[in-house]
Amino acid sequence: MSQVTCVVCGSQQLRLYLDDRTENFDSASFGSSRKAISHGRIMRCTQCGFGFRQERSTEREMAELYRRMDPRVYEAEAAGRARTAARHLRIVQRHQPPGRILDVGCASGLFLKLAAGAGWAVEGIEPSETLHRTAAAALAGVGQVHCGTLEESGLAPGSFDAITIWDVLEHVPDPNGFLARCRSLLRPEGRLYANVPNIDSKEARLLGKRWPLLLAEHLNYFNRSSLTICGQKAGLEWLSFGQRPSWFSTGYIMYRLAQHKIPGSSFGSRLARGRLGKIAIPINLGEICAVGRRCS
């Protein structure tokens, strides 16, 4: 354990947070269509509070897993995700007027389509081949979508007024380096918008090992301290921290809770079949929604 270091601050002062020895690390255990949850061994840094999965794939390995994941359950939640995307756009527009925006991990392109309709010049990156095709079709004639990772995109430095990484930073092996790459793509005073799991949230503390954001594909779990350090090392200044709800159908919520074996969720899943299961509601999962800017 002494040889393991915190990937944010570099400290070797760590403690075991959670340990799941039945872990799987393949495409079948990724994404909303997974059949079972296995988060692996999670360590916490006693210096900055950062939580991280000890077994860490490379960016190439993670991208390959995402290319092969099954997105059917994810795509079935399009109505709720569109409402979440609309909230994301309102967050962005509170901080700056329309310009050129990049959405990293753009999925099926819902956010970018809304942004384009609001006057933004849009571009996206998505590693899942299936979701990339959906996004490219949705943005045909409006914006470009790259299939692959941020590093593979070949985008020019200083190209964007805004970059969004909604639910992305928890998936990358090197969060410091990833944020530094995002910073390089921003124009002076450009804004970065991020949403990440908050390991110190009341939801994480209350639910413990059943916290729905404990997932095989989540390599990183932040709190305000570790996210601040990560941003500083990348040349970013965080302007605000908050929390935003996500919209999901009641059927999907029960499905996810059942994956984590939350008591009563199996019964709730049966009740949520049919019309009742299609009702979309906002819920807080225990995340940090942060707005930052490029430091000169």
Side-chain angles (χ1 to χ4, degrees):
M1 187 178 299
S2 60
Q3 295 180 346
V4 180
T5 61
C6 173
V7 300
V8 166
C9 73
S11 173
Q12 291 186 345
Q13 299 184 45
L14 311 171
R15 65 178 176 87
L16 180 63
Y17 181 68
L18 287 174
D19 196 2
D20 179 4
R21 296 185 180 276
T22 61
E23 63 183 275
N24 296 310
F25 208 60
D26 53 37
S27 58
S29 62
F30 273 36
S32 301
S33 300
R34 66 173 62 82
K35 300 301 181 184
I37 298 295
S38 182
H39 54 70
R41 171 175 282 194
I42 299 173
M43 311 298 296
R44 281 207 76 175
C45 176
T46 61
Q47 297 299 300
C48 70
F50 180 67
F52 61 98
R53 180 173 172 136
Q54 186 172 350
E55 179 187 343
R56 305 179 71 78
S57 296
T58 66
E59 182 175 299
R60 183 185 297 273
E61 289 168 338
M62 290 293 288
E64 182 59 28
L65 288 167
Y66 271 101
R67 288 190 182 101
R68 292 186 280 121
M69 79 173 188
D70 181 356
R72 286 176 293 178
V73 173
Y74 178 93
E75 291 180 309
E77 286 296 300
R81 295 187 190 279
R83 299 182 76 163
T84 303
R87 184 177 290 273
H88 286 160
L89 183 58
R90 290 195 294 271
I91 293 170
V92 171
Q93 294 189 307
R94 282 201 298 265
H95 288 271
Q96 62 187 126
R100 191 174 181 212
I101 191 168
L102 173 69
D103 187 21
V104 184
C106 67
S108 56
L110 289 171
F111 170 76
L112 288 178
K113 189 172 183 179
L114 290 174
W120 290 82
V122 302
E123 200 158 343
I125 300 173
E126 174 53 45
S128 166
E129 293 177 349
T130 302
L131 290 175
H132 168 262
R133 287 193 294 269
T134 302
L139 297 169
V142 175
Q144 183 178 5
V145 183
H146 307 269
C147 187
T149 66
L150 180 63
E151 289 297 329
E152 294 169 341
S153 65
L155 296 170
S159 299
F160 298 95
D161 300 292
I163 295 176
T164 56
I165 50 172
W166 310 118
D167 311 317
V168 169
L169 197 59
E170 59 266 35
H171 301 270
V172 301
D174 177 14
N176 291 349
F178 183 88
L179 281 186
R181 174 61 175 157
C182 288
R183 186 256 184 208
S184 74
L185 295 176
L186 285 170
R187 291 168 178 160
E189 294 299 308
R191 296 293 192 266
L192 177 79
Y193 303 85
N195 194 70
V196 298
N198 179 5
I199 199 168
D200 283 342
S201 66
K202 63 179 183 297
E203 292 85 356
R205 294 196 302 269
L206 177 65
L207 294 172
K209 65 181 181 180
R210 292 191 172 104
W211 184 35
L213 295 182
L214 292 171
L215 301 171
E217 64 266 36
H218 286 180
L219 305 182
N220 310 311
Y221 301 91
F222 296 88
N223 58 6
R224 289 195 181 190
S225 175
S226 57
L227 189 58
T228 297
I229 293 170
C230 196
Q232 289 172 344
K233 289 194 171 187
L236 295 164
E237 176 190 5
W238 296 114
L239 303 175
S240 66
F241 295 108
Q243 187 176 25
R244 63 97 176 104
S246 297
W247 288 81
F248 298 106
S249 70
T250 54
Y252 180 81
I253 293 169
M254 290 298 108
Y255 168 78
R256 287 295 308 278
L257 293 178
Q259 286 180 327
H260 286 268
K261 298 180 174 59
I262 302 294
S265 56
S266 296
F267 177 70
S269 296
R270 293 194 293 272
L271 289 180
R273 292 171 183 168
R275 285 189 176 184
L276 183 61
K278 298 184 183 302
I279 298 172
I281 59 174
I283 61 171
N284 287 317
L285 295 172
E287 298 166 298
I288 300 173
C289 187
V291 180
R293 70 179 174 188
R294 172 177 172 166
C295 299
S296 58

